[in-house]
Amino acid sequence: MENSNEKDASRGSFGSKIGFILAAAGSAVGLGNIWRFPYLAAKYGGGLFLLVYLIFAITFGFTLMLTEIAIGRRTGKSVIGAYKTVDKRFAPLGWLAAAIPALILPYYCVIGGWVLKYMTIFITGGGSEIATKSYGTASDGSDISFFSDFISHAGQPAIFFVIYVLVGSIAVLLGVEKGIEKVSKILMPVLLVLIVGIGIYTLTLDGSGEGLKYYVVPDKDSITPSMLLKTIAAAVGQLFYSMSIAMGIMVTYGSYMRKEDSIEGSVRQIEVFDTAVAFLAGLIIVPAVFVFSGKDKLNAGPGLMFITLPKVFDSMPAGQFIGAAFFILVVLAALTSSISLMETVTAVVIEKFKLSRVKSCVIVIIFTLIVGMLSVLGYSTWSDVEIFGMQILDFFDFSTNNIMMPILAFLTCIMIGYVVKTKYIEEEVIHGEKKFKSKGLYNVMIKVVCPICMIIILITPFVTKI
Ligand code: PFF
Protein backbone atom coordinates (compact mmCIF):
# COMPACT_ATOMS: atom_id res chain seq x y z
CA MET A 1 0.00 0.00 0.00
CA GLU A 2 1.47 3.32 -1.04
CA ASN A 3 0.83 6.21 1.25
CA SER A 4 1.05 9.33 -0.80
CA ASN A 5 -0.01 12.49 0.91
CA GLU A 6 1.86 14.50 -1.67
CA LYS A 7 -0.30 16.56 -3.94
CA ASP A 8 0.76 17.91 -7.26
CA ALA A 9 0.37 21.68 -6.84
CA SER A 10 -0.14 22.23 -10.60
CA ARG A 11 -3.45 20.29 -10.52
CA GLY A 12 -5.32 23.22 -9.08
CA SER A 13 -7.54 23.22 -6.03
CA PHE A 14 -10.65 24.77 -4.57
CA GLY A 15 -9.88 28.09 -2.94
CA SER A 16 -12.39 27.84 -0.10
CA LYS A 17 -14.46 25.37 1.86
CA ILE A 18 -17.72 26.87 0.63
CA GLY A 19 -16.38 26.68 -2.94
CA PHE A 20 -15.82 22.95 -2.53
CA ILE A 21 -19.22 22.39 -0.90
CA LEU A 22 -21.09 24.30 -3.59
CA ALA A 23 -19.21 22.57 -6.40
CA ALA A 24 -19.87 19.12 -4.90
CA ALA A 25 -23.49 20.05 -4.19
CA GLY A 26 -23.69 21.31 -7.77
CA SER A 27 -22.58 17.90 -8.92
CA ALA A 28 -25.06 16.12 -6.69
CA VAL A 29 -28.01 18.36 -7.48
CA GLY A 30 -29.03 17.51 -11.02
CA LEU A 31 -31.67 15.92 -13.17
CA GLY A 32 -31.83 13.15 -10.58
CA ASN A 33 -33.23 15.55 -7.98
CA ILE A 34 -35.68 17.40 -10.14
CA TRP A 35 -36.88 14.82 -12.58
CA ARG A 36 -36.31 11.43 -10.94
CA PHE A 37 -36.88 12.00 -7.22
CA PRO A 38 -40.40 13.49 -7.44
CA TYR A 39 -41.84 10.72 -9.55
CA LEU A 40 -40.20 7.98 -7.48
CA ALA A 41 -41.50 9.58 -4.30
CA ALA A 42 -44.98 9.71 -5.79
CA LYS A 43 -44.78 6.12 -6.96
CA TYR A 44 -43.46 4.59 -3.73
CA GLY A 45 -45.97 5.89 -1.24
CA GLY A 46 -44.91 9.52 -0.86
CA GLY A 47 -44.15 9.99 2.82
CA LEU A 48 -42.84 6.43 3.21
CA PHE A 49 -40.31 6.94 0.44
CA LEU A 50 -39.22 10.27 1.95
CA LEU A 51 -38.62 8.66 5.33
CA VAL A 52 -36.68 5.69 3.96
CA TYR A 53 -34.67 8.00 1.71
CA LEU A 54 -33.74 10.27 4.60
CA ILE A 55 -32.55 7.40 6.79
CA PHE A 56 -30.37 6.05 4.00
CA ALA A 57 -29.03 9.50 3.11
CA ILE A 58 -27.58 10.12 6.56
CA THR A 59 -26.11 6.61 6.84
CA PHE A 60 -25.40 4.97 3.49
CA GLY A 61 -25.00 8.15 1.39
CA PHE A 62 -22.84 9.74 4.07
CA THR A 63 -20.51 6.73 4.22
CA LEU A 64 -19.91 6.37 0.50
CA MET A 65 -19.48 10.07 -0.15
CA LEU A 66 -17.08 10.48 2.75
CA THR A 67 -15.05 7.49 1.54
CA GLU A 68 -14.65 8.86 -1.95
CA ILE A 69 -13.76 12.40 -0.86
CA ALA A 70 -11.20 11.06 1.64
CA ILE A 71 -9.61 8.79 -1.00
CA GLY A 72 -9.40 11.75 -3.38
CA ARG A 73 -7.90 14.13 -0.88
CA ARG A 74 -5.45 11.65 0.58
CA THR A 75 -4.06 10.57 -2.79
CA GLY A 76 -4.40 13.93 -4.56
CA LYS A 77 -4.92 12.13 -7.85
CA SER A 78 -7.53 11.58 -10.54
CA VAL A 79 -9.53 8.37 -10.15
CA ILE A 80 -7.12 6.10 -12.02
CA GLY A 81 -4.13 7.25 -9.98
CA ALA A 82 -6.17 7.38 -6.78
CA TYR A 83 -7.28 3.73 -6.65
CA LYS A 84 -3.80 2.58 -7.66
CA THR A 85 -2.30 4.63 -4.86
CA VAL A 86 -4.68 3.21 -2.25
CA ASP A 87 -3.83 -0.38 -3.21
CA LYS A 88 -2.14 -1.58 -6.41
CA ARG A 89 -4.36 -4.67 -6.55
CA PHE A 90 -7.41 -2.44 -6.82
CA ALA A 91 -5.98 -0.41 -9.73
CA PRO A 92 -8.62 -1.76 -12.19
CA LEU A 93 -11.26 -0.06 -10.06
CA GLY A 94 -9.73 3.26 -11.08
CA TRP A 95 -10.34 2.42 -14.72
CA LEU A 96 -13.90 1.43 -13.94
CA ALA A 97 -14.36 4.69 -12.03
CA ALA A 98 -13.06 6.59 -15.07
CA ALA A 99 -15.21 4.67 -17.55
CA ILE A 100 -18.46 5.41 -15.67
CA PRO A 101 -18.45 9.23 -16.02
CA ALA A 102 -17.10 8.86 -19.57
CA LEU A 103 -20.20 6.81 -20.46
CA ILE A 104 -22.66 8.91 -18.47
CA LEU A 105 -21.46 12.34 -19.63
CA PRO A 106 -22.56 12.02 -23.29
CA TYR A 107 -26.12 10.86 -22.62
CA TYR A 108 -26.53 13.24 -19.68
CA CYS A 109 -25.66 16.09 -22.07
CA VAL A 110 -28.24 14.82 -24.56
CA ILE A 111 -30.92 15.17 -21.86
CA GLY A 112 -29.33 18.53 -20.96
CA GLY A 113 -29.93 19.56 -24.58
CA TRP A 114 -33.63 18.62 -24.30
CA VAL A 115 -33.96 20.75 -21.17
CA LEU A 116 -32.17 23.62 -22.89
CA LYS A 117 -34.68 23.42 -25.73
CA TYR A 118 -37.58 23.55 -23.25
CA MET A 119 -36.02 26.51 -21.48
CA THR A 120 -35.75 28.38 -24.80
CA ILE A 121 -39.38 27.58 -25.66
CA PHE A 122 -40.71 28.80 -22.33
CA ILE A 123 -38.55 31.95 -22.33
CA THR A 124 -39.77 32.85 -25.82
CA GLY A 125 -43.41 32.29 -24.83
CA GLY A 126 -44.06 29.03 -26.69
CA GLY A 127 -44.86 26.95 -23.60
CA SER A 128 -48.61 26.98 -24.14
CA GLU A 129 -48.33 25.81 -27.72
CA ILE A 130 -46.19 22.76 -26.94
CA ALA A 131 -48.52 21.83 -24.08
CA THR A 132 -51.71 21.82 -26.11
CA LYS A 133 -50.92 21.32 -29.80
CA SER A 134 -51.04 17.84 -31.31
CA TYR A 135 -48.02 16.89 -33.37
CA GLY A 136 -49.72 14.11 -35.28
CA THR A 137 -51.51 10.88 -34.49
CA ALA A 138 -49.74 7.77 -33.24
CA SER A 139 -50.55 4.27 -34.55
CA ASP A 140 -52.80 3.67 -31.49
CA GLY A 141 -54.83 6.79 -32.33
CA SER A 142 -53.42 8.93 -29.51
CA ASP A 143 -51.96 12.40 -30.05
CA ILE A 144 -48.22 12.69 -30.57
CA SER A 145 -46.78 15.08 -27.99
CA PHE A 146 -44.27 17.81 -28.73
CA PHE A 147 -41.67 15.83 -26.79
CA SER A 148 -42.05 12.61 -28.82
CA ASP A 149 -42.00 14.62 -32.02
CA PHE A 150 -38.96 16.62 -30.93
CA ILE A 151 -36.74 13.66 -30.02
CA SER A 152 -37.79 11.66 -33.07
CA HIS A 153 -36.05 14.07 -35.45
CA ALA A 154 -32.28 14.17 -35.01
CA GLY A 155 -31.67 17.78 -36.13
CA GLN A 156 -32.88 19.91 -33.21
CA PRO A 157 -31.87 17.56 -30.39
CA ALA A 158 -28.40 17.38 -31.98
CA ILE A 159 -28.06 21.17 -32.17
CA PHE A 160 -29.18 21.71 -28.58
CA PHE A 161 -26.93 18.88 -27.42
CA VAL A 162 -23.88 20.49 -29.05
CA ILE A 163 -24.71 23.93 -27.57
CA TYR A 164 -25.20 22.36 -24.13
CA VAL A 165 -21.83 20.53 -24.27
CA LEU A 166 -19.98 23.66 -25.38
CA VAL A 167 -21.56 25.85 -22.68
CA GLY A 168 -20.84 23.26 -19.98
CA SER A 169 -17.22 22.86 -21.05
CA ILE A 170 -16.38 26.54 -20.43
CA ALA A 171 -16.11 25.98 -16.67
CA VAL A 172 -13.89 22.91 -17.15
CA LEU A 173 -11.65 24.75 -19.61
CA LEU A 174 -11.17 27.58 -17.11
CA GLY A 175 -9.99 25.19 -14.38
CA VAL A 176 -10.95 24.27 -10.83
CA GLU A 177 -10.84 27.57 -8.95
CA LYS A 178 -11.45 30.05 -11.77
CA GLY A 179 -14.03 27.92 -13.57
CA ILE A 180 -15.84 25.26 -11.55
CA GLU A 181 -15.69 27.00 -8.17
CA LYS A 182 -16.72 30.40 -9.55
CA VAL A 183 -19.58 28.99 -11.63
CA SER A 184 -20.88 26.93 -8.68
CA LYS A 185 -20.74 29.91 -6.34
CA ILE A 186 -23.00 31.84 -8.70
CA LEU A 187 -25.32 29.14 -10.00
CA MET A 188 -26.08 27.25 -6.79
CA PRO A 189 -27.50 30.22 -4.82
CA VAL A 190 -29.55 31.22 -7.90
CA LEU A 191 -30.86 27.66 -8.11
CA LEU A 192 -31.84 27.69 -4.45
CA VAL A 193 -33.69 31.00 -4.75
CA LEU A 194 -35.55 29.77 -7.84
CA ILE A 195 -36.62 26.47 -6.33
CA VAL A 196 -37.78 28.02 -3.04
CA GLY A 197 -39.64 30.76 -4.95
CA ILE A 198 -41.45 28.38 -7.30
CA GLY A 199 -42.17 26.02 -4.40
CA ILE A 200 -43.86 28.75 -2.36
CA TYR A 201 -45.89 29.81 -5.40
CA THR A 202 -47.20 26.31 -6.23
CA LEU A 203 -48.21 25.76 -2.60
CA THR A 204 -50.45 28.81 -2.74
CA LEU A 205 -52.49 27.32 -5.61
CA ASP A 206 -56.03 26.17 -4.86
CA GLY A 207 -56.20 22.45 -4.06
CA SER A 208 -52.47 21.95 -3.58
CA GLY A 209 -53.05 20.84 0.03
CA GLU A 210 -54.36 17.46 -1.17
CA GLY A 211 -51.28 16.96 -3.34
CA LEU A 212 -49.02 18.00 -0.51
CA LYS A 213 -50.68 15.48 1.78
CA TYR A 214 -50.17 12.77 -0.81
CA TYR A 215 -46.50 13.73 -1.09
CA VAL A 216 -45.57 13.83 2.58
CA VAL A 217 -48.01 11.62 4.48
CA PRO A 218 -47.48 7.85 4.03
CA ASP A 219 -50.57 6.02 2.83
CA LYS A 220 -50.85 3.37 5.56
CA ASP A 221 -53.06 1.05 3.54
CA SER A 222 -50.54 0.65 0.75
CA ILE A 223 -47.66 -0.39 3.04
CA THR A 224 -47.03 -4.09 2.55
CA PRO A 225 -43.77 -6.02 3.09
CA SER A 226 -43.12 -6.27 -0.64
CA MET A 227 -43.89 -2.58 -1.09
CA LEU A 228 -41.44 -1.76 1.70
CA LEU A 229 -38.70 -3.82 0.06
CA LYS A 230 -39.28 -2.17 -3.30
CA THR A 231 -39.28 1.23 -1.63
CA ILE A 232 -35.95 0.49 0.03
CA ALA A 233 -34.40 -0.67 -3.25
CA ALA A 234 -35.74 2.39 -5.06
CA ALA A 235 -34.57 4.76 -2.31
CA VAL A 236 -31.05 3.31 -2.20
CA GLY A 237 -30.82 3.40 -5.99
CA GLN A 238 -31.98 6.99 -6.08
CA LEU A 239 -29.56 8.01 -3.38
CA PHE A 240 -26.69 6.62 -5.31
CA TYR A 241 -27.77 8.45 -8.42
CA SER A 242 -28.57 11.67 -6.66
CA MET A 243 -25.41 12.05 -4.63
CA SER A 244 -23.05 11.45 -7.56
CA ILE A 245 -21.60 8.46 -5.77
CA ALA A 246 -19.52 5.76 -7.53
CA MET A 247 -18.83 7.76 -10.64
CA GLY A 248 -15.37 9.01 -9.70
CA ILE A 249 -16.62 12.56 -9.21
CA MET A 250 -16.25 12.81 -5.45
CA VAL A 251 -12.74 11.28 -5.64
CA THR A 252 -11.77 13.93 -8.19
CA TYR A 253 -13.36 16.82 -6.29
CA GLY A 254 -11.85 15.48 -3.05
CA SER A 255 -8.42 15.64 -4.68
CA TYR A 256 -8.89 19.41 -5.06
CA MET A 257 -10.06 19.91 -1.48
CA ARG A 258 -7.89 21.85 0.94
CA LYS A 259 -6.25 19.77 3.66
CA GLU A 260 -7.40 22.08 6.44
CA ASP A 261 -11.13 21.76 5.63
CA SER A 262 -13.42 19.30 7.38
CA ILE A 263 -14.50 16.35 5.26
CA GLU A 264 -17.18 15.15 7.66
CA GLY A 265 -18.81 18.57 7.99
CA SER A 266 -18.66 19.16 4.24
CA VAL A 267 -20.32 15.83 3.46
CA ARG A 268 -23.16 16.63 5.88
CA GLN A 269 -23.72 19.98 4.18
CA ILE A 270 -23.64 18.53 0.66
CA GLU A 271 -26.17 15.90 1.77
CA VAL A 272 -28.51 18.49 3.25
CA PHE A 273 -28.30 20.59 0.09
CA ASP A 274 -28.96 17.62 -2.20
CA THR A 275 -31.84 16.25 -0.16
CA ALA A 276 -33.42 19.68 0.33
CA VAL A 277 -33.42 20.36 -3.42
CA ALA A 278 -34.90 16.94 -4.18
CA PHE A 279 -37.60 17.48 -1.54
CA LEU A 280 -38.39 20.97 -2.85
CA ALA A 281 -38.55 19.71 -6.44
CA GLY A 282 -41.15 17.18 -5.28
CA LEU A 283 -42.96 19.96 -3.45
CA ILE A 284 -43.24 21.85 -6.73
CA ILE A 285 -44.09 18.96 -9.00
CA VAL A 286 -46.28 16.59 -7.00
CA PRO A 287 -48.96 19.04 -5.74
CA ALA A 288 -49.02 20.89 -9.09
CA VAL A 289 -49.51 17.72 -11.15
CA PHE A 290 -52.04 16.53 -8.58
CA VAL A 291 -54.10 19.69 -8.96
CA PHE A 292 -53.90 20.21 -12.71
CA SER A 293 -53.52 16.74 -14.21
CA GLY A 294 -54.71 14.30 -11.57
CA LYS A 295 -53.06 11.68 -9.37
CA ASP A 296 -52.61 9.01 -12.05
CA LYS A 297 -50.39 11.32 -14.11
CA LEU A 298 -47.78 11.15 -11.36
CA ASN A 299 -46.72 7.77 -12.65
CA ALA A 300 -45.69 9.26 -15.99
CA GLY A 301 -42.00 8.51 -15.28
CA PRO A 302 -39.54 10.16 -17.68
CA GLY A 303 -42.41 11.89 -19.49
CA LEU A 304 -43.45 13.69 -16.29
CA MET A 305 -41.10 16.61 -16.79
CA PHE A 306 -41.33 16.86 -20.56
CA ILE A 307 -44.98 16.08 -21.27
CA THR A 308 -47.06 16.47 -18.10
CA LEU A 309 -45.39 19.52 -16.60
CA PRO A 310 -45.82 21.82 -19.62
CA LYS A 311 -49.55 21.01 -19.44
CA VAL A 312 -49.51 21.84 -15.74
CA PHE A 313 -47.78 25.17 -16.39
CA ASP A 314 -50.32 25.90 -19.11
CA SER A 315 -53.25 25.54 -16.72
CA MET A 316 -51.63 27.43 -13.87
CA PRO A 317 -51.94 31.20 -13.35
CA ALA A 318 -48.68 32.86 -14.51
CA GLY A 319 -47.69 29.41 -15.79
CA GLN A 320 -45.55 30.64 -18.68
CA PHE A 321 -43.43 32.65 -16.31
CA ILE A 322 -43.19 29.84 -13.75
CA GLY A 323 -42.44 27.36 -16.55
CA ALA A 324 -39.57 29.52 -17.80
CA ALA A 325 -38.18 29.86 -14.26
CA PHE A 326 -38.54 26.12 -13.75
CA PHE A 327 -36.65 25.14 -16.89
CA ILE A 328 -33.90 27.70 -16.17
CA LEU A 329 -33.60 25.95 -12.81
CA VAL A 330 -33.33 22.52 -14.42
CA VAL A 331 -30.70 23.72 -16.91
CA LEU A 332 -28.58 25.16 -14.08
CA ALA A 333 -28.88 21.97 -12.03
CA ALA A 334 -27.98 19.78 -15.01
CA LEU A 335 -25.07 22.01 -16.04
CA THR A 336 -23.27 21.85 -12.69
CA SER A 337 -23.65 18.05 -12.75
CA SER A 338 -22.31 17.62 -16.26
CA ILE A 339 -19.43 19.96 -15.41
CA SER A 340 -18.45 17.53 -12.64
CA LEU A 341 -18.70 14.53 -14.97
CA MET A 342 -16.59 16.32 -17.57
CA GLU A 343 -14.01 17.42 -15.00
CA THR A 344 -13.61 13.83 -13.77
CA VAL A 345 -12.86 12.56 -17.28
CA THR A 346 -10.66 15.56 -18.12
CA ALA A 347 -8.60 15.04 -14.94
CA VAL A 348 -7.91 11.47 -16.05
CA VAL A 349 -6.77 12.60 -19.51
CA ILE A 350 -4.53 15.32 -17.99
CA GLU A 351 -2.88 12.82 -15.66
CA LYS A 352 -2.62 9.81 -17.97
CA PHE A 353 -1.52 11.56 -21.15
CA LYS A 354 0.35 14.45 -19.50
CA LEU A 355 -1.54 16.95 -21.62
CA SER A 356 -2.57 20.51 -20.76
CA ARG A 357 -6.05 21.15 -19.34
CA VAL A 358 -7.23 22.82 -22.54
CA LYS A 359 -6.02 20.01 -24.82
CA SER A 360 -7.44 17.35 -22.51
CA CYS A 361 -10.77 19.11 -22.31
CA VAL A 362 -10.97 19.42 -26.10
CA ILE A 363 -10.39 15.66 -26.40
CA VAL A 364 -13.18 15.03 -23.87
CA ILE A 365 -15.52 17.42 -25.74
CA ILE A 366 -14.91 15.61 -29.06
CA PHE A 367 -15.46 12.23 -27.40
CA THR A 368 -18.67 13.47 -25.74
CA LEU A 369 -20.02 14.84 -29.01
CA ILE A 370 -19.36 11.59 -30.89
CA VAL A 371 -20.72 9.21 -28.25
CA GLY A 372 -23.64 11.50 -27.34
CA MET A 373 -24.68 11.61 -30.99
CA LEU A 374 -25.35 7.86 -30.74
CA SER A 375 -27.97 8.58 -28.09
CA VAL A 376 -29.48 11.39 -30.16
CA LEU A 377 -29.73 9.07 -33.18
CA GLY A 378 -31.03 6.25 -30.98
CA TYR A 379 -34.32 8.13 -30.57
CA SER A 380 -34.54 9.27 -34.19
CA THR A 381 -32.76 7.87 -37.25
CA TRP A 382 -31.75 4.68 -35.46
CA SER A 383 -34.88 4.21 -33.38
CA ASP A 384 -35.02 0.57 -34.49
CA VAL A 385 -31.64 -0.17 -32.92
CA GLU A 386 -31.98 -1.99 -29.61
CA ILE A 387 -29.28 -3.21 -27.23
CA PHE A 388 -30.60 -5.91 -24.89
CA GLY A 389 -34.08 -4.60 -25.64
CA MET A 390 -33.18 -1.01 -24.75
CA GLN A 391 -32.74 2.14 -26.77
CA ILE A 392 -29.17 3.45 -26.93
CA LEU A 393 -29.60 6.17 -24.27
CA ASP A 394 -31.43 3.79 -21.93
CA PHE A 395 -28.70 1.21 -22.41
CA PHE A 396 -25.97 3.69 -21.35
CA ASP A 397 -28.11 4.69 -18.37
CA PHE A 398 -28.87 1.13 -17.29
CA SER A 399 -25.36 -0.28 -17.70
CA THR A 400 -23.77 2.53 -15.71
CA ASN A 401 -26.35 3.08 -12.96
CA ASN A 402 -27.54 -0.46 -12.41
CA ILE A 403 -24.41 -2.46 -13.07
CA MET A 404 -21.11 -0.57 -13.13
CA MET A 405 -21.79 1.83 -10.26
CA PRO A 406 -22.98 -0.76 -7.71
CA ILE A 407 -20.00 -2.97 -8.61
CA LEU A 408 -17.57 -0.08 -8.12
CA ALA A 409 -19.20 0.91 -4.82
CA PHE A 410 -19.25 -2.70 -3.59
CA LEU A 411 -15.57 -3.26 -4.35
CA THR A 412 -14.65 0.13 -2.85
CA CYS A 413 -16.37 -0.94 0.39
CA ILE A 414 -14.46 -4.22 0.37
CA MET A 415 -11.17 -2.45 -0.33
CA ILE A 416 -11.63 0.05 2.51
CA GLY A 417 -13.49 -2.20 4.97
CA TYR A 418 -11.37 -5.33 4.70
CA VAL A 419 -8.14 -4.72 2.77
CA VAL A 420 -6.61 -1.34 3.55
CA LYS A 421 -8.92 -0.98 6.59
CA THR A 422 -10.95 2.00 7.73
CA LYS A 423 -7.91 3.61 9.38
CA TYR A 424 -6.93 4.77 5.89
CA ILE A 425 -10.04 6.94 5.73
CA GLU A 426 -9.96 7.93 9.38
CA GLU A 427 -6.42 9.31 9.09
CA GLU A 428 -7.55 11.59 6.29
CA VAL A 429 -10.76 12.65 8.02
CA ILE A 430 -8.97 13.77 11.19
CA HIS A 431 -6.65 15.96 9.13
CA GLY A 432 -9.10 18.83 8.98
CA GLU A 433 -10.79 18.26 12.36
CA LYS A 434 -9.82 16.77 15.68
CA LYS A 435 -12.15 13.81 15.75
CA PHE A 436 -13.96 11.47 13.36
CA LYS A 437 -17.37 11.90 15.00
CA SER A 438 -19.24 9.23 13.06
CA LYS A 439 -16.49 6.63 13.19
CA GLY A 440 -18.63 3.88 14.75
CA LEU A 441 -21.44 4.34 12.27
CA TYR A 442 -18.95 4.58 9.42
CA ASN A 443 -17.27 1.28 10.22
CA VAL A 444 -20.51 -0.68 10.40
CA MET A 445 -21.81 0.91 7.22
CA ILE A 446 -18.71 0.37 5.10
CA LYS A 447 -18.16 -3.21 6.22
CA VAL A 448 -21.69 -4.55 6.40
CA VAL A 449 -24.64 -2.35 5.40
CA CYS A 450 -23.26 -0.72 2.25
CA PRO A 451 -22.04 -3.96 0.62
CA ILE A 452 -25.44 -5.57 1.31
CA CYS A 453 -27.25 -2.57 -0.18
CA MET A 454 -25.05 -2.81 -3.26
CA ILE A 455 -25.95 -6.45 -3.75
CA ILE A 456 -29.64 -5.58 -3.41
CA ILE A 457 -29.31 -2.88 -6.07
CA LEU A 458 -27.42 -5.22 -8.38
CA ILE A 459 -29.97 -7.99 -8.26
CA THR A 460 -33.22 -6.01 -8.01
CA PRO A 461 -33.61 -5.12 -11.70
CA PHE A 462 -33.11 -8.75 -12.64
CA VAL A 463 -35.58 -10.06 -10.09
CA THR A 464 -38.34 -7.48 -10.34
CA LYS A 465 -38.97 -4.50 -12.53
CA ILE A 466 -39.25 -1.66 -10.01
N1 PFF B 1 -26.18 13.54 -9.15
C1 PFF B 1 -26.54 14.18 -10.36
C2 PFF B 1 -28.04 14.04 -10.58
O1 PFF B 1 -28.73 13.70 -9.63
O2 PFF B 1 -28.52 14.31 -11.65
C3 PFF B 1 -25.67 13.78 -11.46
C4 PFF B 1 -25.81 12.44 -12.08
C5 PFF B 1 -26.38 11.34 -11.52
C6 PFF B 1 -25.32 12.28 -13.29
C7 PFF B 1 -26.48 10.14 -12.16
C8 PFF B 1 -25.44 11.10 -13.95
C9 PFF B 1 -26.02 10.02 -13.37
F1 PFF B 1 -26.11 8.87 -13.99
Side-chain angles (χ1 to χ4, degrees), residues 357-368:
R357 170 168 285 271
V358 173
K359 276 191 192 139
S360 308
C361 188
V362 170
I363 293 174
V364 175
I365 293 171
I366 296 171
F367 169 83
T368 307

Side-chain angles (χ1 to χ4, degrees), residues 27-33 104 107-108 241-244 247 337 341 401:
S27 167
V29 172
L31 294 167
N33 302 59
I104 293 179
Y107 86 77
Y108 200 79
Y241 189 101
S242 186
M243 291 203 175
S244 297
M247 41 183 106
S337 295
L341 288 162
N401 282 293

Side-chain angles (χ1 to χ4, degrees), residues 425-438:
I425 300 298
E426 194 193 330
E427 280 167 9
E428 189 56 37
V429 170
I430 55 173
H431 229 283
E433 52 219 309
K434 285 178 208 75
K435 212 172 150 231
F436 185 3
K437 292 189 218 89
S438 314

Side-chain angles (χ1 to χ4, degrees), residues 145-463:
S145 65
F146 168 79
F147 180 62
S148 314
D149 184 60
F150 168 64
I151 61 170
S152 67
H153 298 93
Q156 289 249 346
I159 293 170
F160 279 90
F161 160 63
V162 174
I163 297 172
Y164 180 90
V165 173
L166 296 180
V167 172
S169 57
I170 296 172
V172 181
L173 280 167
L174 287 174
V176 181
E177 194 173 353
K178 290 206 187 79
I180 300 170
E181 182 167 351
K182 257 209 178 110
V183 167
S184 311
K185 275 180 160 167
I186 301 168
L187 298 191
M188 294 315 283
V190 175
L191 184 144
L192 209 57
V193 170
L194 275 176
I195 200 160
V196 172
I198 308 173
I200 292 174
Y201 175 75
T202 53
L203 287 181
T204 60
L205 298 172
D206 264 357
S208 63
E210 266 302 288
L212 181 65
K213 199 168 141 214
Y214 176 76
Y215 180 47
V216 293
V217 182
D219 172 12
K220 283 186 219 75
D221 301 336
S222 67
I223 304 177
T224 58
S226 94
M227 171 73 174
L228 195 62
L229 207 70
K230 281 185 183 174
T231 306
I232 290 176
V236 175
Q238 171 60 13
L239 201 93
F240 211 35
Y241 189 101
S242 186
M243 291 203 175
S244 297
I245 292 166
M247 41 183 106
I249 294 173
M250 291 301 160
V251 175
T252 311
Y253 276 18
S255 75
Y256 304 138
M257 189 185 185
R258 298 189 310 185
K259 281 280 183 196
E260 65 265 36
D261 291 336
S262 149
I263 296 185
E264 210 175 350
S266 303
V267 172
R268 286 286 179 220
Q269 291 183 36
I270 299 164
E271 261 179 353
V272 169
F273 208 122
D274 187 60
T275 309
V277 172
F279 178 73
L280 286 169
L283 213 58
I284 292 176
I285 295 175
V286 178
V289 173
F290 203 91
V291 173
F292 294 105
S293 292
K295 186 177 158 192
D296 45 318
K297 281 282 186 287
L298 280 168
N299 271 340
L304 186 70
M305 190 161 87
F306 295 107
I307 301 168
T308 316
L309 268 189
K311 290 199 173 79
V312 170
F313 291 133
D314 189 47
S315 359
M316 183 189 264
Q320 286 304 305
F321 179 71
I322 298 296
F326 177 82
F327 281 105
I328 293 174
L329 164 80
V330 188
V331 168
L332 300 186
L335 265 179
T336 45
S337 295
S338 33
I339 287 172
S340 69
L341 288 162
M342 187 177 268
E343 173 61 27
T344 303
V345 187
T346 304
V348 167
V349 178
I350 295 176
E351 198 175 287
K352 273 286 129 196
F353 301 102
K354 310 265 177 292
L355 290 174
S356 69
R357 170 168 285 271
V358 173
K359 276 191 192 139
S360 308
C361 188
V362 170
I363 293 174
V364 175
I365 293 171
I366 296 171
F367 169 83
T368 307
L369 292 176
I370 296 173
V371 180
M373 235 18 121
L374 301 177
S375 290
V376 171
L377 293 172
Y379 278 117
S380 49
T381 322
W382 296 343
S383 58
D384 299 338
V385 177
E386 282 195 351
I387 313 174
F388 298 115
M390 284 173 263
Q391 278 180 303
I392 299 174
L393 189 149
D394 300 338
F395 172 73
F396 279 126
D397 183 56
F398 181 82
S399 53
T400 47
N401 282 293
N402 293 66
I403 301 174
M404 295 164 79
M405 282 158 57
I407 291 178
L408 174 64
F410 176 78
L411 293 173
T412 304
C413 292
I414 302 300
M415 174 178 87
I416 297 297
Y418 298 97
V419 183
V420 299
K421 303 280 165 43
T422 51
K423 197 133 194 66
Y424 190 86
I425 300 298
E426 194 193 330
E427 280 167 9
E428 189 56 37
V429 170
I430 55 173
H431 229 283
E433 52 219 309
K434 285 178 208 75
K435 212 172 150 231
F436 185 3
K437 292 189 218 89
S438 314
K439 188 176 156 189
L441 169 81
Y442 178 83
N443 287 353
V444 177
M445 292 301 299
I446 199 93
K447 287 184 181 157
V448 186
V449 184
C450 292
I452 293 175
C453 287
M454 290 305 99
I455 293 173
I456 294 178
I457 298 198
L458 262 172
I459 57 173
T460 308
F462 300 98
V463 179

